[in-house]
Amino acid sequence: MKRPLTLTLVLLMASVAFAGPLPSAPPENTLAVPLASLGGGQAPWTIVILLTLLTLIPALLLSMTPFVRLLIVFHFLRQALGTQSTPTNQTLIGLALVLTFFLMQPVGVAIQQQAIVPLEAGLITPMAAFEIGSRPLKTFMLHYVRQKDVALFLELAKERRPGKPEDLSMRVVVPSYILSELKAGFQIGAVLFLPFLVIDMVVASVTTSVGMMQLPPVVISTPLKLLLFVMVDGWNLLVGSLMRSFG
C-alpha cells in the first residue's frame, strides 16, 4: 500500500473541504488579508472542522479494524498471568497495531486500487472516491458482525431491512461491528483466563491446606503460570489463533 489509510482519508476530506476556488495570494507590499474575509468567513470554520476530523479519524479507523479485539485479548492475557504491567501498555498497543496492519493490508490495497488511483488520475471526484473506498472496508466488517447487533441498530436508526447485507449503511455497520468485536474479544479473553484461574485455585488450595499463611498464593502461582505459558509457546499459539479467527 503506497500510502497509509489514515493519510488517504485525511487527504480526501481535505480535498472536499477545500474544493472551492482558493483566493489569490496578496501582494508582497500589502497587509495580509484576515482569515474572516476569505470566502465570506468560511475559512476558519473549514479549518476547525478539518482539525476535528484529524483528531477523530484515528479512533474511528481503529474501531473499524481488528484492533479492538486484539487489544482486549492481550489485556485479558496480562491480567490472567498476573504480571501487572508486563508487557507494558505501549508494547501491547504496538503489537495490536502491527497485527492490525497485517490483517488490513489487503483491504488497504483494494482501497488504493479502486479509489485512490482513479482519484489521482482525475477520473472520479473526491466524494465518489470516498464512497468507493468505503466499500472494501464495509465488506470486511460485514464478515464479523452479528445479525443481532445489526438488527438492533437497524431498529434504532429506523431503517428498513435491506435485501442484502451490502446495502446496509455505514451508520448501521460500524456500531454493529464494534459491538460484535467487543463480544468476541471478551469471549476469547474469558476462555483464555480459565486455565490460569485453575492454577490460581490449585495453588491457593495447596497453600491453605499446608498452613502456609505467611506467603500469598499469588507469589507462588505467578511463576508457575509464566513457566506454563513459556513452555507451551503461548505467544505463538495465541497470536496464531487470533489471526486465524479473522480468516
Side-chain angles (χ1 to χ4, degrees):
M1 191 169 55
K2 295 182 178 179
R3 298 180 180 176
L5 182 56
T6 304
L7 180 59
T8 298
L9 293 179
V10 173
L11 292 177
L12 287 179
M13 293 182 178
S15 300
V16 176
F18 295 102
L22 295 177
S24 58
E28 294 182 357
N29 296 329
T30 60
L31 295 177
V33 181
L35 287 176
S37 64
L38 298 180
Q42 296 179 357
W45 288 108
T46 302
I47 296 175
V48 170
I49 294 174
L50 183 59
L51 292 178
T52 304
L53 291 175
L54 287 175
T55 60
L56 294 178
I57 284 176
L60 290 175
L61 289 180
L62 293 180
S63 300
M64 298 161 63
T65 61
F67 181 83
V68 176
R69 183 192 305 189
L70 296 172
L71 193 58
I72 289 175
V73 173
F74 291 153
H75 277 285
F76 265 104
L77 173 64
R78 188 174 66 181
Q79 293 295 325
L81 289 174
T83 54
Q84 302 299 324
S85 59
T86 304
T88 62
N89 290 333
Q90 291 83 355
T91 303
L92 296 181
I93 292 174
L95 178 59
L97 283 174
V98 170
L99 296 179
T100 300
F101 175 80
F102 181 86
L103 291 169
M104 296 300 294
Q105 198 267 344
V107 179
V109 171
I111 295 174
Q112 170 75 18
Q113 295 176 350
Q114 298 176 18
I116 305 304
V117 173
L119 176 65
E120 292 178 343
L123 302 177
I124 56 177
T125 62
M127 286 302 298
F130 183 79
E131 180 181 356
I132 296 173
S134 64
R135 294 173 187 171
L137 188 59
K138 181 193 293 187
T139 302
F140 174 84
M141 291 188 290
L142 286 174
H143 279 90
Y144 307 104
V145 297
R146 300 186 305 161
Q147 293 184 359
K148 185 177 181 180
D149 296 327
V150 173
L152 170 64
F153 284 100
L154 278 175
E155 179 184 355
L156 295 177
K158 295 181 174 54
E159 295 183 8
R160 295 196 305 175
R161 187 181 296 271
K164 53 184 179 179
E166 290 76 12
D167 295 334
L168 289 168
S169 64
M170 292 293 284
R171 180 190 178 193
V172 173
V173 174
V174 173
S176 303
Y177 174 79
I178 296 175
L179 283 188
S180 300
E181 287 297 284
L182 287 174
K183 179 179 176 60
F186 273 82
Q187 286 178 333
I188 298 173
V191 174
L192 185 64
F193 216 103
L194 290 178
F196 299 106
L197 180 61
V198 172
I199 296 177
D200 286 331
M201 295 175 61
V202 170
V203 171
S205 300
V206 171
T207 55
T208 302
S209 62
V210 299
M212 191 182 299
M213 300 300 182
Q214 69 278 10
L215 190 63
V218 68
V219 176
I220 302 175
S221 62
T222 299
L224 293 178
K225 291 187 290 186
L226 290 174
L227 181 62
L228 174 64
F229 188 73
V230 172
M231 287 179 59
V232 300
D233 198 4
W235 284 111
N236 183 278
L237 293 176
L238 176 62
V239 173
S241 300
L242 283 174
M243 302 301 278
R244 293 186 184 95
S245 68
F246 291 98

